[in-house]
Amino acid sequence: MSYTLLNIGYGSSVVADEVIAILAPNSAPMRRLRDEAKDEKRLIDATHGRKTRSIIIMKDNHIILSATQTDTISQRYVALNEEKE
């Protein structure tokens, strides 16, 4: 079985087919989402100590924090999907 990995910055990757949404972290609902995921042990911090610039929601309900801009990750995601076709 082969997986396509999406680079989310600083050497971290996620399985592209498992991504549901790539969101900006600066709204109150996103902060609540992050806090709930942390309390339920579903939060993965891939920021490597940097400022959180995007939140990635996965199919298995995990929340991943990234220090890469939302637009950058979205462009990488689109490029991966274009390569598949």
Side-chain angles (χ1 to χ4, degrees):
M1 184 176 254
S2 166
Y3 296 107
T4 304
L5 296 177
L6 173 64
N7 179 353
I8 60 169
Y10 303 102
S12 299
S13 299
V14 297
V15 177
D17 294 336
E18 297 294 315
V19 173
I20 292 178
I22 304 166
L23 306 165
N26 47 5
S27 67
M30 291 304 106
R31 284 193 287 276
R32 277 195 302 273
L33 182 71
R34 181 178 53 203
D35 292 342
E36 288 172 9
K38 185 175 182 179
D39 293 342
E40 297 170 7
K41 309 253 188 278
R42 296 182 291 112
L43 184 70
I44 300 169
D45 186 352
T47 61
H48 298 277
R50 295 170 177 86
K51 180 180 176 184
T52 300
R53 293 202 167 96
S54 56
I55 295 177
I56 303 165
I57 302 175
M58 305 299 286
K59 284 183 181 176
D60 63 359
N61 214 17
H62 278 82
I63 306 298
I64 301 174
L65 306 179
S66 174
T68 305
Q69 292 287 346
T70 305
D71 293 338
T72 303
I73 296 174
S74 297
Q75 289 170 356
R76 292 174 184 171
Y77 185 79
V78 168
L80 281 176
N81 286 334
E82 288 175 354
E83 286 178 12
K84 281 185 179 180
E85 295 174 2

